[in-house]
Amino acid sequence: AQSVTQLDSHVSVSEGTPVLLRCNYSSSYSPSLFWYVQHPNKGLQLLLKYTSAATLVKGINGFEAEFKKSETSFHLTKPSAHMSDAAEYFCVVRGGGNKLTFGTGTQLKVEL
Amino acid sequence: GAVVSQHPSWVICKSGTSVKIECRSLDFQATTMFWYRQFPKQSLMLMATSNEGSKATYEQGVEKDKFLINHASLTLSTLTVTSAHPEDSSFYICSARGAGGFYNEQFFGPGTRLTVL
């Protein structure tokens, strides 16, 4: 079975500083991993996905994530946070039957 | 492309009534649709998977008689919460997966906020 663990439930950064949202995965085979963002009372938007191609994945809005098999990690980063980045972020692993298993989420707060 | 809509976006109902939520894929054919439930400040939990023309497959612990899912066409799936009670209040989100180039990704709807009084 697949699972993901988001290591921080809340992250707070200042605008213009780097963002790091941590995610570790567990999978019995090479996983497909995703990061989604959810703004309040909105649906989910795909930021980026890893599907066994390049280990450094670039997404929308300046986000990127690096798949590290040796560390079973898929951390999300952004060089410079913007106020509009404040939202809930979910790390997700895809399993059999295209089922998605969501992490518990990380609430990102961006302060002036 | 790959837009999924949900209707209504929010609904308030009295305890004991039934509520139907629609999920539509607007510009692709959704061979599979998924229904999720999200409690406040929590993650999404998969409730059921439905393939067009087939009975839905429910996750463990989800009452199939309580949450009726119909996927009658390639662009529409409905979730009916029967005899709703306050504990059914939640944010319900659907996603859709298509064929071909849309196969390997789920596209999410904007969600429906259900409040049962």
Side-chain angles (χ1 to χ4, degrees):
Chain A
Q2 290 72 233
S3 67
V4 287
T5 301
Q6 292 185 242
L7 301 171
D8 306 292
S9 58
H10 294 82
V11 170
S12 184
V13 300
S14 298
E15 190 175 33
T17 64
V19 175
L20 170 64
L21 306 184
R22 298 183 295 165
C23 173
N24 287 113
Y25 70 89
S26 174
S27 177
S28 54
Y29 50 86
S30 184
S32 292
L33 294 159
F34 306 78
W35 276 98
Y36 284 87
V37 61
Q38 183 181 34
H39 288 90
N41 294 313
K42 300 290 186 182
L44 282 83
Q45 182 182 19
L46 179 66
L47 282 177
L48 49 81
K49 60 183 176 182
Y50 167 78
T51 54
S52 75
T55 57
L56 181 62
V57 182
K58 294 188 182 298
I60 62 172
N61 300 335
F63 285 95
E64 62 181 40
E66 185 172 8
F67 175 75
K68 292 187 176 180
K69 186 175 181 179
S70 61
E71 299 177 9
T72 62
S73 68
F74 190 57
H75 301 335
L76 181 70
T77 60
K78 182 174 181 177
S80 177
H82 190 272
M83 294 297 290
S84 60
D85 294 328
E88 186 87 17
Y89 291 80
F90 293 98
C91 182
V92 181
V93 62
R94 183 170 66 199
N98 208 35
K99 287 185 180 180
L100 300 182
T101 300
F102 285 75
T104 50
T106 298
Q107 183 70 45
L108 175 64
K109 184 177 179 181
V110 182
E111 299 173 319
L112 286 172
Chain B
V3 177
V4 176
S5 69
Q6 281 184 241
H7 178 79
S9 55
W10 59 270
V11 57
I12 301 172
C13 69
K14 293 182 179 180
S15 184
T17 61
S18 294
V19 175
K20 180 183 285 188
I21 302 170
E22 292 185 349
C23 177
R24 293 182 184 273
S25 59
L26 299 184
D27 49 5
F28 69 103
Q29 294 185 324
T31 52
T32 305
M33 285 186 170
F34 303 84
W35 286 95
Y36 296 85
R37 183 174 181 176
Q38 184 181 30
F39 289 104
K41 300 188 183 300
Q42 294 188 28
S43 188
L44 279 74
M45 299 298 294
L46 179 65
M47 299 174 65
T49 302
S50 72
N51 292 296
E52 185 266 337
S54 303
K55 289 185 178 180
T57 301
Y58 290 81
E59 295 299 300
Q60 191 173 7
V62 178
E63 301 175 59
K64 62 177 69 176
D65 295 329
K66 173 78 171 176
F67 299 99
L68 301 178
I69 292 173
N70 184 284
H71 191 169
S73 78
L74 285 171
T75 59
L76 174 65
S77 176
T78 60
L79 168 68
T80 301
V81 183
T82 62
S83 186
H85 291 283
E87 58 265 30
D88 299 323
S89 298
S90 191
F91 195 50
Y92 293 87
I93 301 175
C94 73
S95 70
R97 182 188 74 179
F102 294 113
Y103 180 80
N104 286 323
E105 185 175 338
Q106 290 184 29
F107 300 95
F108 286 83
T112 297
R113 172 78 58 195
L114 170 63
T115 301
V116 185
L117 302 176

